């Protein structure tokens, strides 16, 4: 099963008209993450897909048609529709998704700090062989120290998701910010085994994330924070967001702490239905700081 999601993007808007087929949302508050996703297999019907095609730009339509396989065309179309309809939700009906225009950064990609991977993803080659090609030496050593093959594979996918989210947040891609130039550390909290602990019947954070950046890399910055979670039982997702410059809120609490982050999650079929999963998904790990 594939999944498409929406993170942060840099946009500008054109003259618009009301659009009444979406449920509208209040913009996220400071330290709040809104996560919209769809499952392509749930989107069916010629009439609906024709409506989706009317929402994308001519350039996006050409990009969709460049895909050789029908399934890839469907995924590309749904990804663009999800971006447009999700952003339009926050305009109180004032902006039609079709009227949104996007700016690309100097590296040719919109800045997005989110990545989603299937937990059941299988590699064509050995996990460690693949890791040695892309990961840093400390990450490789950490994976080598995990004796259980299935747990090793799951930790590899979690690391990959975190690293992808980071380079997307930088807006540079893997070529502009090579994955070997920084190290993501996933550490269990003292005395806790596994990824989650049970506290009062609810799943609670049992891991922390820290980031080490090579001093020789001038393409990578340090002011980012991570969140690793499970939007569904079949996927891992990571969000990479910029840390607050003012680390304390009005009550003197650290705004960059995990406890200060609120997450809202929706599963959607655009123009058809939305389902809120807020508070039901397990947050596996969060970072409080970045180290050099």
């Amino acid at each position: 099963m594939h999944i498409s999601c929406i993170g942060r993007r840099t946009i500008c808007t054109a003259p618009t008209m009301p659009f009444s087929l979406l449920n509208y949302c209040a913009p996220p508050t400071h330290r709040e993450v809104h996560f919209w996703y769809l499952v392509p297999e749930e989107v069916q019907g010629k009439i609906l897909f024709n409506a989706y095609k009317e929402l994308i730009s001519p350039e996006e339509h050409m990009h969709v048609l460049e895909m050789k396989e029908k399934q890839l065309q469907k995924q590309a179309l749904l990804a663009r529709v999800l971006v447009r309809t999700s952003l339009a939700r926050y305009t109180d009906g004032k902006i039609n998704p079709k009227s949104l225009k996007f700016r690309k950064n100097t590296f040719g990609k919109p800045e997005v700090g989110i990545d989603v991977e299937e937990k059941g993803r299988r590699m064509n080659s050995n996990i460690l062989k693949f890791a040695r090609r892309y990961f840093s030496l400390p990450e490789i050593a950490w994976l080598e120290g995990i004796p259980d093959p299935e747990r090793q594979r799951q930790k590899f996918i979690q690391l990959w998701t975190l690293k992808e989210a980071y380079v997307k947040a930088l807006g540079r891609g893997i070529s502009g910010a090579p994955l070997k130039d920084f190290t993501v550390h996933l550490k269990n909290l003292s005395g806790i085994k596994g990824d989650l602990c049970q506290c009062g019947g609810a799943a609670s954070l049992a891991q922390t994330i820290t980031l080490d950046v090579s001093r020789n890399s001038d393409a990578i910055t340090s002011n980012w924070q991570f969140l690793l979670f499970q939007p569904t039982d079949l996927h891992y997702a990571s969000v990479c967001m910029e840390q607050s410059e003012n680390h304390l809120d009005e009550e003197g609490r650290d705004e960059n702490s995990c406890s200060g982050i609120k997450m809202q999650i929706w599963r959607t079929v655009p123009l058809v239905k939305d389902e809120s999963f807020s508070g039901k998904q397990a947050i596996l790990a969060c970072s409080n700081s970045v180290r050099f």
Side-chain angles (χ1 to χ4, degrees), residues 7 52 58 60 74 102 111 165 169 175 189 202 209 215 223 247 258 260:
Y52 287 170
E60 290 170 328
K74 177 181 178 179
F102 296 84
E111 295 183 12
S175 60
L189 298 181
I209 304 168
R215 293 182 181 273
N223 57 329
H247 296 285
C258 295

Side-chain angles (χ1 to χ4, degrees), residues 9-245:
R9 294 188 180 246
T10 304
I11 65 168
C12 60
T13 62
T16 59
M17 57 179 288
F19 194 80
S20 59
L21 296 180
L22 294 173
N23 294 319
Y24 299 103
C25 299
T29 60
H30 185 57
R31 310 305 298 157
E32 184 177 24
V33 176
H34 287 189
F35 183 91
W36 292 86
Y37 76 92
L38 64 80
V39 178
E41 289 79 3
E42 295 180 351
V43 184
Q44 303 292 334
K46 184 176 181 180
I47 294 177
L48 184 58
F49 276 98
N50 286 339
Y52 287 170
K53 291 175 183 178
E54 291 297 318
L55 295 181
I56 64 176
S57 69
E59 293 79 12
E60 290 170 328
H61 186 66
M62 289 297 297
H63 174 71
V64 169
L65 293 179
E66 287 174 356
M67 304 291 177
K68 295 183 179 180
E69 298 180 11
K70 290 292 184 181
Q71 186 64 22
L72 294 178
Q73 290 182 2
K74 177 181 178 179
Q75 292 173 16
L77 172 63
L78 293 181
R80 300 311 305 162
V81 169
L82 180 63
V83 169
R84 288 179 172 276
T85 56
S86 297
L87 292 174
R89 295 176 188 275
Y90 298 96
T91 68
D92 197 25
K94 298 177 181 178
I95 295 180
N96 186 319
K98 184 179 180 66
S99 70
L100 292 169
K101 293 186 181 296
F102 296 84
R103 291 194 304 264
K104 293 184 178 180
N105 64 14
T106 55
F107 295 91
K109 297 180 179 179
E111 295 183 12
V112 182
I114 192 166
D115 188 61
V116 180
E117 299 289 342
E118 293 187 40
K119 295 169 68 174
R121 174 183 176 184
R122 298 290 173 179
M123 312 300 300
N124 293 329
S125 60
N126 178 273
I127 285 290
L128 292 178
K129 181 179 180 181
F130 193 85
R132 293 185 186 104
R133 181 178 177 185
Y134 291 103
F135 284 9
S136 68
L137 292 178
E139 291 167 338
I140 296 169
W142 182 69
L143 288 172
E144 289 175 337
I146 301 175
D148 179 67
E150 177 57 24
R151 183 166 178 79
Q152 183 186 75
R153 188 180 68 84
Q154 292 299 316
K155 289 302 177 184
F156 169 86
I157 296 172
Q158 291 180 13
L159 278 180
W160 183 271
T161 306
L162 289 162
K163 291 170 80 72
E164 281 275 4
Y166 183 50
V167 297
K168 289 177 180 179
L170 295 173
R172 296 175 180 267
I174 294 176
S175 60
L179 297 181
K180 287 188 175 183
D181 284 3
F182 60 93
T183 300
V184 175
H185 299 278
L186 269 173
K187 298 181 179 179
N188 278 23
L189 298 181
S190 178
I192 298 177
K193 295 182 179 181
D195 297 334
L196 298 172
C197 63
Q198 294 294 324
C199 301
S204 301
L205 184 68
Q207 296 181 109
T208 59
I209 304 168
T210 55
L211 180 71
D212 286 331
V213 179
S214 170
R215 293 182 181 273
N216 298 324
S217 176
D218 58 359
I220 298 178
T221 58
S222 62
N223 57 329
W224 302 97
Q225 186 175 20
F226 294 92
L227 193 65
L228 175 66
F229 62 101
Q230 296 177 141
T232 77
D233 292 337
L234 301 176
H235 297 87
Y236 291 125
S238 294
V239 174
C240 182
M241 67 195 86
E242 194 166 11
Q243 292 192 36
S244 172
E245 294 182 0

